[in-house]
Structure formats: C-alpha cells, structure tokens
Amino acid sequence: MAIEKVEKIWMNGKLVPWDEAKVHILTHALHYGSGVFEGIRAYQTDKGPAVFRLTDHIKRLFRSAKIYSMEIPFSVEDLIEATKSTVRENKVESCYIRPVVFRGYGGMGLNPTSVPVDVAIAIWPWGAYLGEESLEHGVRVKISSFRRNEPNAIPPAAKACGQYLNSILAKLEVTAAGYDEAVLLNSQGYVSDGSGENIFAVRNGTIATPPIASGALEGITRDSIIKIAQDKGYKVRMRYMVRTDLYLADELFFTGTAAEVVPIHSVDDREIGDPGPITRDLQKTFFKAVKGEEPKFI
Ligand code: PPE
C-alpha cells in the first residue's frame, strides 16, 4: 500500500516537515523490531475530523509498551494532544493515524534498557484497507499455515513492531495463492485473528468471536462491535473456535481500525456468501458511530 504524503509528522514533542522525520540506520527497532505502535482513524464530520476512541488507543499503546518494559517519555494526555494537533495541523478531513514508540539510536544488543525511547505520530489518508470492493462484497480468506505467535514467545497482547513478521508471513502466503486475507490459528489449532483484523462468526443468530487468550489482539473495533451488537439485542459469545466454525458460519466478518467492518465471502474456498443481515446491520451502525452519529458508541 503506497503512502500518500501529508505535511507534518510529530516527533518527540514537535511537528517536523514530512521529509525530515528520519531515524539513524542504527536505530535499535530497525534491527530488532523493538517498538510498539497503534493504528487509529479520524473520520470526517460536520465539525471537522473526529478521532475514533483516541483515549482507548493511546492507553493500549501504553499497555503494549509495558509488556516490553519501555518507558514512554510522555503521558497519555500528552499523546492525546499530540495526536489531535497532528491531525489538525495537516488539515485533513479524514486519515489513518500511526503512533509509534520505539527503541532509538544509542545502543545495540539485546538488553535495550539503555537505549532511548523515541515517539512519533504520523498520519496519512488511507482508504479501504482490503480494497474498495471489500466493504460491499466481502473478501476471500484462507487459513494460513503459519500459526499465530504464542503468548509465551511473542505476546499477541502487545501491538509490537517485530511481531508483525508473523502476520506478514501469513499475508504473503495467502495473497500469493490468490486470496485477499489470512486467518491465523494459534499453536493449539484455535482461531486467533486475521493478519490485521479480529474475526466474528454468526450462526443461528448468535455472534461469536475468539477470546483474547486465543492470541487475538484486544481490538478496539472488536469491542465497539460487541457493544453495538449487545445494544441491538444480539447474543455475543467469546469462545474458542476451530476452523470448521468458520466453514459452517452463516455470516463471517473482520473488524479492525484499518479494515473497519469487512464481510468475508469464503474461507478456504467454502462459500459463506454475500454479506448477511447481521453483518450489514452492525456495519451500518459502526460507520455511523465512527462519524459521531451514535454517541453511545464513541
Ligand atoms: N488483530 C490484529 C493482528 C491487528 O493487527 C489489528 C489491527 C486488529 C486485530 C484489530 O484491532 P483494532 O484496530 O484495535 O480494532 N491492525 C492495525 C494495523 C494494520 C496494518 O496493516 O498496519 C490496524 O487496523 O490499524
């Protein structure tokens, strides 16, 4: 996905011109993946761009950093303000927002405690993550032969830079085979999530999604969808799922900040079909919520 350039990027406390937001080649995170990040979206509204669940995203960034014992040299409030000013100063109507906290320049080797922690917030316009057609018609998914990284190896509870090598392997594998997106099972064989999305299955009117302990990221879109579904009176279960739970679902969909709410048309060539009524219903309310038109879900 090519990046569309905007004017400024926030780096360690100030906005700098896009082309000057650079790091040294000996940046620790470049060698070891020792960073954590967030993905947030701002949506166009009548009152200007609105950042969806900003505080929750920044809090998750701090939780990710805690797992790796990285001390962020700013407060939650500082990064909330910094995000807002980055969106404001770039004068965009909507955008994707990428805060990244990483071990910078000043030390090499695997004990990173003496390496300074850098913080940056970049934004850019990012359209439909899985293609313009995906939101309407759904995507073709394949279960990857690569398993989700384990909690006792590289914890999926963090949104850490290096751990995305796992998702990249899965994505490369299934896109080379002609599919749109990968689903990863954990090492016990239970469904975790997509390469960059949580997954939901609907069967007989009940909505199910894998628990966080299965290796799924504690998705903020997942949480919004659970709240929206419960508010509409649907039964929502967090339960361990095997691959056939996906094959036999009446409806399947992905959720994520970048992906938003994307119906799944088939899994391993087993047809699920056109987006179903519950998927459509949740998708519709979600797109209202992100634009501030459903205040109880903001
Ligand atoms: N699982 C994974 C593995 C994941 O990376 C994401 C977000 C989610 C679930 C959904 O979480 P949430 O965004 O809080 O609803 N993936 C981010 C990065 C995507 C990328 O390609 O980069 C995102 O959607 O921003």
Side-chain angles (χ1 to χ4, degrees):
M1 183 78 64
I3 302 171
E4 208 180 305
K5 190 167 152 176
V6 296
E7 271 179 45
K8 292 201 161 92
I9 292 178
W10 188 95
M11 272 189 100
N12 294 323
K14 54 178 194 286
L15 285 161
V16 300
W18 178 278
D19 290 329
E20 287 170 27
K22 290 186 175 155
V23 295
H24 195 276
I25 200 72
L26 293 181
T27 293
H28 195 273
L30 184 60
H31 297 249
Y32 306 120
S34 48
V36 296
F37 69 97
E38 268 306 314
I40 315 174
R41 270 188 193 271
Y43 287 87
Q44 184 180 2
T45 74
D46 295 341
K47 295 184 211 142
V51 184
F52 188 60
R53 298 190 59 175
L54 175 57
T55 304
D56 294 319
H57 280 282
I58 298 296
K59 282 187 176 162
R60 187 173 65 184
L61 183 68
F62 277 77
R63 293 201 298 276
S64 297
K66 181 176 183 180
I67 291 174
Y68 286 96
S69 300
M70 286 170 74
E71 188 105 20
I72 302 182
F74 295 93
S75 66
V76 170
E77 293 69 33
D78 290 340
L79 296 191
I80 288 172
E81 282 317 307
T83 304
K84 288 182 184 168
S85 69
T86 310
V87 174
R88 209 183 302 120
E89 295 298 319
N90 280 298
K91 300 180 186 73
V92 290
E93 286 177 335
S94 62
C95 61
Y96 182 79
I97 304 164
R98 171 56 56 82
V100 56
V101 173
F102 57 100
R103 299 277 183 189
Y105 171 79
M108 275 290 165
L110 299 181
N111 183 349
T113 45
S114 64
V115 182
V117 174
D118 287 322
V119 185
I121 304 169
I123 72 156
W124 64 89
W126 203 351
Y129 183 66
L130 295 174
E132 288 303 327
E133 294 273 282
S134 70
L135 296 167
E136 260 316 294
H137 301 293
V139 289
R140 292 179 65 239
V141 163
K142 183 168 170 54
I143 295 172
S144 172
S145 67
F146 288 99
R147 296 299 173 100
R148 178 54 87 211
N149 41 281
E150 276 199 77
N152 291 310
I154 296 180
K159 211 168 156 53
C161 301
Q163 87 189 54
Y164 276 81
L165 286 172
N166 180 226
S167 285
I168 288 171
L169 286 172
K171 184 89 179 187
L172 284 172
E173 179 187 31
V174 307
T175 52
Y179 297 85
D180 302 309
E181 186 52 296
V183 166
L184 288 94
L185 307 179
N186 65 22
S187 50
Q188 284 81 44
Y190 293 107
V191 177
S192 62
D193 52 4
S195 77
E197 312 86 356
N198 290 109
I199 191 164
F200 286 78
V202 182
R203 194 163 166 206
N204 298 327
T206 298
I207 302 168
T209 192
I212 299 311
S214 70
L217 181 71
E218 200 175 324
I220 288 166
T221 320
R222 172 184 183 273
D223 180 65
S224 291
I225 286 296
I226 291 171
K227 288 191 178 127
I228 291 169
Q230 285 171 338
D231 184 72
K232 287 176 181 287
Y234 296 118
K235 274 191 245 128
V236 184
R237 302 273 178 269
M238 272 160 254
R239 62 173 186 82
Y240 287 97
M241 288 161 73
V242 291
R243 67 197 297 155
T244 44
D245 289 319
L246 305 185
Y247 294 178
L248 302 179
D250 301 327
E251 300 181 33
L252 276 183
F253 60 90
F254 281 132
T255 65
T257 299
E260 302 170 301
V261 179
V262 176
I264 296 173
H265 210 282
S266 67
V267 181
D268 293 349
D269 300 309
R270 273 70 168 185
E271 277 302 294
I272 305 301
D274 289 331
I278 296 180
T279 307
R280 284 260 174 260
D281 189 18
L282 298 173
Q283 201 186 32
K284 211 169 116 207
T285 306
F286 173 77
F287 280 113
K288 282 191 182 166
V290 295
K291 292 184 190 104
E293 293 162 21
E294 291 275 356
K296 65 181 162 182
F297 302 122
I298 295 174

